[in-house]
Structures are given as structure tokens and as C-alpha cells.
Amino acid sequence: MKISIILASYDSGHYHGGMGQGPDALISGGLVDALTMAGHDVAVEDIGKVGDNQEREIATGFAVCNAVAAEVRLALDGGRFPIVLAGNCLTSAGAVAGEGADAIIWADQHGDLNTPETSIYGFLDGMALATVLGLCWRPMAAAIPGFKPIDPSRCVLVNARDLDRAEKQLLETLPIIRTECPGVAQATERLKVAGARRVHMHLDLDVHDPQELQANRYVSSGGPSPEQLRDAACAVALAVPVVGITVSAYDPAFDAQGDVPPLVGQMLNDLIATIEGR
């Protein structure tokens, strides 16, 4: 398969800071080599530095989305499958826009369903999925070329377990499909019934059980092992048409042994093989 790996190396508006170091660490950890050795034609595109010099979180976050949307669209136009490596989860809004996705799989220990009205900490990335679903930041999301909010009935939230009170209340009112890795097959059946035709897969690496793999500073007990997440992601890719993938929130400062890059390489290789064979 022809693959474009798109680097969006930002964390809360900061270029190459914190989790913004993750994309480069995944590349230096052998991701391109792993995909190439499996027979894939891999190109690496870097959106570089975008936004203004003040690195304002909101303005820069959406500038990153705009740049990612353009790169994803170029990849698809060139017959390449887009894989976005991002520091922040909001970047998926750009990938969704570039792909014209109409459904999303969101694997994350957090719900990312806060809004400016409900957020306790004012953390933009805690509003990432809410943005993708059209629940907040509507004018700025609408300015991303090609962006259309995804209907909550075509959203699968996987292994979200660290939820704020407002997120729990919101989930009681929305038709978001919630599941854990072992139950993902039933969830994807509901996604098909809801009419999903172009599915974006968002994989926040902190979804893992921190006892098995810690990808960043955010730790919440429970969650899948790397093998369980890989199996679940492949089951999704076998059941529904996945048109792009985002891998986010890897901070190499919390991975002293370098465990994450080879596991991501193995997961993406298995995922791509499943997508190719579908």
C-alpha cells in the first residue's frame, strides 16, 4: 500500500513540546522502516510550524487542523492512505475534514467531550471529540476546509474511563456508542446500521492500561493491553471502511525504555494489512 505519514508535532500550541515530540520519536523509533519492510511505499510529510509566533493554543490548534486537512487531502488525491502522527487529539478534526469522514472510532482513556461551558481546566484537547461532533468551537471547525461534524450516532468511544462529571451527563443524552476493546465487534455493527461509509480511526495511546504501556503523563487504571488494542483496531478495520488513522498523545519523556514505537509499528502494520485485505 502507498502510505503518507503526516507529522503534526504540536502540544497545546507548542511546536515540538511535550507530546509534540511524539511524532518524531515514533519516526526515529523505526516506524517508517517497519512499514517499508512490510512492503509498503511510505512517504513522510511534515506540516512544519504553523500559526503565529505567540503559539496561542486555540489559534494554533486549529491552524494545525487546517494544515493536516490539506496534507490528508493531498495524500488521498495521490492514492495514498493517510496516517497522522499528532501530539494533540484535536488534530483529528483536520484528518476528518481531509478524508470527508462520516464516522469515527475514538479510542482514548478520556472522553474529550468537554466544551468551553463545561470544561473545568480549559484544556482545548479535552474538547477534541466534542469539536469533531459539532458540539463546540463550531465557527473555527467550520473554517477547516472540508469539515463536516460527525453525527454522534456514528461515533464509537472505546475504553473511555477517565470522565468528568459533565462528560458523563452528556453521554447520557447522546447516541454515542460506548464499548471496550472486547466488545468492539458489536459496536461496529451498530456503526454500520447507522450508515457509516468513511470511518476515521483515532488512537490516543493513553488508552492503554498504564501497567502495560504508559504513553504520557495522564494515567488512569484499566484499559487494554497493546495486544488487545491491536486486535480491536483490526476487528474494526475488517468490519467497516477505515479511510484514515490518527495516532496521538505520545510523550517520549514517559517512555524511558522506548517501548512505544515498535508497538505502534506492529499495530499499524497489522491494521494496514487488514484494510488491504478487506
Side-chain angles (χ1 to χ4, degrees):
M1 180 181 281
K2 294 167 70 175
I3 297 169
S4 279
I5 296 179
I6 299 162
L7 308 183
S9 303
Y10 278 84
D11 183 351
S12 300
H14 301 296
Y15 188 47
H16 286 300
M19 294 181 294
Q21 299 177 73
D24 282 347
L26 290 172
I27 296 297
S28 63
L31 178 57
V32 174
D33 292 340
L35 292 168
T36 302
M37 288 178 63
H40 302 298
D41 175 354
V42 182
V44 179
E45 308 292 343
D46 192 336
I47 68 166
K49 194 165 187 179
V50 300
D52 59 37
N53 291 330
Q54 293 177 331
E55 296 187 327
R56 293 173 295 180
E57 181 184 17
I58 298 168
T60 304
F62 282 97
V64 169
C65 290
N66 288 336
V68 165
E71 289 292 348
V72 166
R73 201 157 44 248
L74 284 172
L76 292 172
D77 288 347
R80 292 184 171 274
F81 183 86
I83 299 174
V84 178
L85 305 183
N88 286 146
C89 296
L90 180 68
T91 308
S92 273
V96 163
E99 295 157 6
D102 64 4
I104 193 161
I105 305 290
W106 196 274
D108 195 327
Q109 71 164 309
H110 306 101
D112 292 346
L113 285 167
N114 280 305
T115 69
E117 290 76 21
T118 66
S119 177
I120 298 171
Y121 304 106
F123 183 37
L124 182 62
D125 231 37
M127 310 177 207
L129 182 54
T131 302
V132 171
L133 301 182
L135 305 178
C136 63
W137 300 111
R138 294 182 187 92
M140 299 195 76
I144 305 169
F147 179 80
K148 293 182 180 178
I150 289 175
D151 190 303
S153 68
R154 293 198 296 270
C155 171
V156 176
L157 184 57
V158 183
N159 273 104
R161 56 197 186 274
D162 186 2
L163 300 170
D164 293 336
R165 181 177 178 182
E167 291 178 302
K168 293 176 182 177
Q169 292 173 340
L170 185 64
L171 283 166
E172 293 176 357
T173 68
L174 293 176
I176 291 173
I177 305 163
R178 294 191 64 186
T179 188
E180 296 187 356
C181 282
V184 77
Q186 184 178 359
T188 49
E189 284 302 313
R190 290 177 60 188
L191 202 60
K192 288 194 287 185
V193 170
R197 291 181 175 84
R198 296 181 62 81
V199 181
H200 180 73
M201 183 177 290
H202 172 86
L203 303 170
D204 182 323
L205 295 176
D206 72 16
V207 73
H208 289 101
D209 181 345
Q211 296 298 318
E212 299 276 351
L213 185 75
Q214 184 174 347
N216 57 42
R217 72 180 69 242
Y218 303 107
V219 177
S220 180
S221 61
S225 68
E227 294 77 16
Q228 288 172 324
L229 180 64
R230 185 172 68 245
D231 289 349
C234 289
V236 169
L238 189 62
V240 294
V242 174
V243 295
I245 299 167
T246 298
V247 178
S248 74
Y250 171 46
D251 187 343
F254 291 83
D255 181 29
Q257 303 303 315
D259 294 328
V260 171
L263 288 169
V264 170
Q266 185 178 2
M267 177 172 62
L268 289 176
N269 261 329
D270 287 355
L271 257 175
I272 295 298
T274 303
I275 292 166
E276 276 190 304
R278 187 175 182 271

